[in-house]
């Protein structure tokens, strides 16, 4: 499976209606409503902001969709079907529609929303989805730089760092790198730094 590395947009015009499709990295279903409202505010006068999303991996994948006032099953569902079949996840697809004065009919809407989704997903940059584990380490200041280098070399994505009497580093590691990274940290710090790994992400 694949996940977007950044957002991508395309625009189609069908019988004077504008369909602006956007695909973007996305992992929090609770944020959908806010994102849709942002797009609605950024596109004053639009008739609809249709969306669909996929979050998770092959073993634990969740979806969502909305027609946003288009006739039931003519917008969110066709967009969803394209996204579900694309092998792309952790992705939100939105389609902003400006009505052009001519009704497209049920079949026309299905083709328009499916087509816009297909086109935007074809162009969005992606990378292979890698299983990750959440981690945290507490590090004395004098060991911070070598520890951070080991984490970076292992492919860690740092999410947060807290600097008090010691440094606390939190983030995600590729699951396949956890064992090697933990051993390198123990060796490089003479056992002073341990990798605390979550059960799953």
């Amino acid at each position: 499976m694949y996940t977007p590395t950044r957002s991508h947009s395309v625009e189609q015009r069908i019988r004077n209606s504008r369909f602006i499709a956007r695909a973007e990295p996305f992992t929090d279903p609770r944020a959908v409503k806010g994102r849709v409202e942002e797009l609605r505010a950024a596109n004053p006068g639009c008739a609809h902001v249709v969306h669909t999303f996929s979050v998770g991996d092959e073993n634990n994948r969740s979806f969502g969709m909305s027609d946003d006032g288009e006739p039931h099953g003519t917008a969110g569902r066709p967009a969803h079907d394209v996204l579900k079949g694309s092998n792309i996840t952790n992705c939100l697809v939105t389609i902003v529609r400006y009505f052009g004065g001519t009704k497209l009919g049920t079949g026309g809407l299905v083709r328009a929303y499916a087509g816009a989704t297909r086109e935007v997903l074809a162009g969005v940059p992606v990378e292979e989805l890698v299983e990750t584990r959440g981690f945290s380490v507490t590090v004395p200041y004098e060991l911070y730089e070598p520890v951070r280098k080991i984490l970076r070399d292992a492919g860690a994505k740092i999410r947060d760092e807290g600097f008090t009497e010691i440094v606390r580093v939190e983030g995600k590691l590729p699951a396949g790198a956890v064992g090697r990274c933990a051993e390198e940290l123990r060796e490089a710090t003479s056992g002073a730094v341990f990798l605390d790994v979550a059960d799953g992400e």
Side-chain angles (χ1 to χ4, degrees):
M1 299 193 75
Y2 297 88
T3 183
T5 58
R6 59 178 175 82
S7 61
H8 175 64
S9 299
V10 298
E11 180 174 336
Q12 295 183 345
R13 288 180 177 266
I14 301 173
R15 297 175 70 181
N16 295 324
S17 280
R18 294 171 60 203
F19 293 84
I20 306 168
R22 178 183 178 90
E24 59 189 273
F26 181 78
T27 57
D28 184 4
R30 296 168 298 181
V32 169
K33 183 177 180 181
R35 183 69 184 117
V36 167
E37 291 308 314
E38 285 177 10
L39 288 168
R40 202 184 308 279
N43 291 273
C46 70
H48 308 280
V49 183
V50 169
H51 79 263
T52 182
F53 67 80
S54 168
V55 173
D57 58 25
E58 293 180 58
N59 300 317
N60 184 23
R61 198 173 175 194
S62 61
F63 301 93
M65 72 190 92
S66 170
D67 292 316
D68 192 41
E70 293 280 32
H72 179 68
T74 64
R77 171 58 66 178
H80 163 79
D81 289 344
V82 173
L83 177 60
K84 187 175 181 180
S86 71
N87 213 27
I88 295 175
T89 189
N90 292 344
C91 178
L92 171 66
V93 174
T94 52
I95 304 107
V96 174
R97 182 189 181 190
Y98 286 88
F99 181 55
T102 302
K103 292 185 177 181
L104 302 182
T106 300
L109 288 172
V110 169
R111 288 189 294 274
Y113 282 104
T117 304
R118 195 173 294 112
E119 183 176 343
V120 77
L121 291 178
V124 68
V126 296
E127 63 184 6
E128 189 172 358
L129 180 67
V130 177
E131 183 183 0
T132 60
R133 294 286 182 268
F135 76 88
S136 65
V137 292
T138 53
V139 188
Y141 275 86
E142 64 270 18
L143 297 174
Y144 171 69
E145 288 301 334
V147 165
R148 205 175 195 286
K149 182 179 186 308
I150 291 170
L151 291 171
R152 185 171 59 247
D153 290 348
K157 293 186 177 180
I158 306 299
R159 194 160 47 190
D160 187 42
E161 292 181 311
F163 297 85
T164 54
E165 295 83 7
I166 57 174
V167 184
R168 181 176 177 83
V169 182
E170 298 179 352
K172 290 185 178 183
L173 269 170
V178 167
R180 185 183 75 251
C181 183
E183 182 61 30
E184 288 182 5
L185 287 173
R186 281 194 297 269
E187 290 180 359
T189 65
S190 300
V193 175
F194 293 89
L195 189 68
D196 185 14
V197 181
D199 290 337
E201 283 291 297

